[in-house]
Amino acid sequence: MKVYFKELTLSTNSRFEVIDITKEVEEAVRESGVKNGLCVIHAPHATVAIIANEAEPGLMKDYIDLIKELTRPDYEWRHNIIDNNAHAHLASAIIGSTRCIPVRNGRLERGTWQNIMLIELDGPRTMRRIIIEVIGEE
Ligand code: ZN
């Protein structure tokens, strides 16, 4: 069994941002040499999320609008007393910061409209990390 790790780093430019990382994830799957197994995409941060969905430009803005509506960044959350980003923690907690996708015949088994995206919830940040782990048989 092979266990392959790759770490991506990126910077974000605004408070909310959706970044498509599908190419990078698929590249990691190729590099891993794994034929059949799993690909875990994990952001080790409490204020970002990882989703697998459509990267249509309008929808990418809709994700952010919905997140704002659900987590109300201007609400008087308790956490905002010490760190003005409660909405980002809450959105990350609801959406999740890890996705796991099957790898079959050397390819990520994602749907046509399932791009892998990182959602920045408390930017801008100079460095966000994404851990990609590919596990399986070669
Ligand atoms: Zn915080």
Side-chain angles (χ1 to χ4, degrees):
M1 191 187 74
K2 176 115 184 232
V3 180
Y4 176 85
F5 280 100
K6 184 170 188 178
E7 184 169 328
L8 305 176
T9 54
L10 48 86
S11 57
T12 58
N13 301 307
S14 49
R15 193 175 193 201
F16 295 93
E17 195 174 341
V18 180
I19 299 164
D20 192 346
I21 57 167
T22 310
K23 270 187 198 155
E24 289 82 355
V25 174
E26 290 190 328
E27 198 180 300
V29 171
R30 271 195 303 277
E31 287 165 5
S32 75
V34 169
K35 269 201 133 180
N36 296 297
L38 291 170
C39 177
V40 178
I41 304 111
H42 174 68
H45 302 287
T47 55
V48 305
I50 302 283
I51 64 169
N53 216 295
E54 188 171 352
E56 186 274 316
L59 193 57
M60 288 163 90
K61 292 189 174 80
D62 292 337
Y63 297 133
I64 291 171
D65 284 354
L66 177 64
I67 287 165
K68 286 179 181 169
E69 210 174 294
L70 288 174
T71 64
R72 296 179 292 164
D74 299 326
Y75 181 75
E76 291 179 6
W77 298 109
R78 293 166 193 83
H79 182 68
N80 287 345
I81 296 164
I82 58 158
D83 188 14
N84 195 33
N85 65 357
H87 73 277
H89 290 277
L90 295 169
S92 176
I94 293 168
I95 302 164
S97 52
T98 306
R99 294 283 154 172
C100 184
I101 297 173
V103 173
R104 190 158 68 166
N105 295 321
R107 296 193 57 185
L108 206 57
E109 275 281 7
R110 64 180 184 91
T112 309
W113 312 116
Q114 282 184 313
N115 280 33
I116 316 301
M117 290 170 274
L118 174 133
I119 304 185
E120 173 62 77
L121 301 160
D122 189 34
R125 300 289 183 112
T126 52
M127 192 170 83
R128 289 302 203 180
R129 295 167 60 213
I130 301 153
I131 312 295
I132 302 168
E133 181 175 1
V134 190
I135 313 159
E137 58 182 28
E138 286 177 272

